[in-house]
Amino acid sequence: MIGNYGGNTLYFENTGSASSAAFATAQTNPFGLSDVGQYVVPTFADLDGDGDLDALIGEGYGNTLYFENTGSASSAAFATAQTNPFGLSDVGFSAAPTLADLDADGDLDALIGNSDGNTLYFENTGSASSAAFATAQANPFGLSNVGSLAKPTFADLDGDGDLDALIGEWYGQTLYFENTGSATSAAFATAQINPFGLSDVGQSAAPTLADLDGDGDLDALVGNSGNFSISHGSLG
């Protein structure tokens, strides 16, 4: 699912396989999703513990919209959007949400980038089935301001059992913050720019990670203001 500047979320169904992706022509705002205004940054995760993926979509004015999946894991059906639910708040401009369990307590915390280059951390003090987000902390655990238009994502890139950070920024760079702490107590090292063979993508880098070729490691897809860049192979 890819957001665009015009307010829409585009869905590209993988009609191939886990080891050989083949994406169908895009569908706009399917399954009950809707136009959110402008500057769309979507992410998907099971926020209510019912076994299907719900949607969080950031928008240009700094809000995060929640679309609960009232369908199923195999047949999504999204309810009408709620704005900044569960204790989330307006982050200024250009909200770019992602979800990760940064404290290994079994529920998903929210991290939202903004236009000022900050990553705001909303700890989930609720549970896996009933999210409740605490007041935001800016750039915690050693993260830092990346300049402008921060777009974070988190994954275990070095296979040590904790979550590392990749954060895209306005000038097309992707910054890597290695987690030198632990799964329960994150501590991020000083940023490295475009490591592991990543490169400048032009403008407004938006990284995400997934195993697109079924080889057991994470590939990187980095969006920009016009296209996508794909990096294959191990990022560790």
Side-chain angles (χ1 to χ4, degrees):
M1 308 283 270
I2 302 175
N4 68 14
Y5 186 80
N8 297 308
T9 298
L10 283 72
Y11 167 66
F12 296 81
E13 182 185 357
N14 186 355
T15 57
S17 67
S19 59
S20 182
F23 293 104
T25 303
Q27 302 174 48
T28 301
N29 301 322
F31 315 125
L33 296 176
S34 59
D35 185 326
V36 301
Q38 63 176 6
Y39 187 78
V40 174
V41 180
T43 193
F44 294 82
D46 185 3
L47 266 181
D48 52 9
D50 64 351
D52 55 38
L53 296 177
D54 309 296
L56 283 181
I57 301 180
E59 52 87 72
Y61 290 102
N63 296 305
T64 298
L65 284 74
Y66 169 65
F67 295 81
E68 182 187 356
N69 187 350
T70 58
S72 66
S74 59
S75 182
F78 293 106
T80 303
Q82 303 173 47
T83 302
N84 301 322
F86 314 126
L88 296 176
S89 58
D90 185 327
V91 298
F93 289 99
S94 303
T98 193
L99 294 157
D101 187 2
L102 267 188
D103 50 9
D105 64 350
D107 55 38
L108 292 170
D109 308 299
L111 295 105
I112 304 179
N114 70 9
S115 62
D116 292 330
N118 296 309
T119 297
L120 282 75
Y121 169 64
F122 295 82
E123 181 186 357
N124 188 349
T125 58
S127 66
S129 59
S130 182
F133 294 109
T135 302
Q137 304 173 49
N139 305 318
F141 314 125
L143 296 176
S144 59
N145 184 289
V146 299
S148 61
L149 284 183
K151 296 186 183 74
T153 193
F154 292 80
D156 184 4
L157 278 177
D158 51 8
D160 65 351
D162 56 37
L163 297 176
D164 309 296
L166 285 180
I167 303 180
E169 54 85 69
W170 169 246
Y171 290 104
Q173 315 287 352
T174 298
L175 284 74
Y176 168 64
F177 295 82
E178 181 188 356
N179 188 349
T180 57
S182 66
T184 57
S185 182
F188 294 104
T190 303
Q192 303 173 47
I193 298 175
N194 300 323
F196 315 128
L198 295 175
S199 59
D200 184 329
V201 297
Q203 195 173 70
S204 195
T208 193
L209 296 157
D211 185 3
L212 274 183
D213 50 9
D215 65 351
D217 56 36
L218 293 171
D219 307 300
L221 296 100
V222 184
N224 68 10
S225 57
N227 298 288
F228 252 97
S229 171
I230 302 177
S231 294
H232 289 287
S234 175
L235 292 180

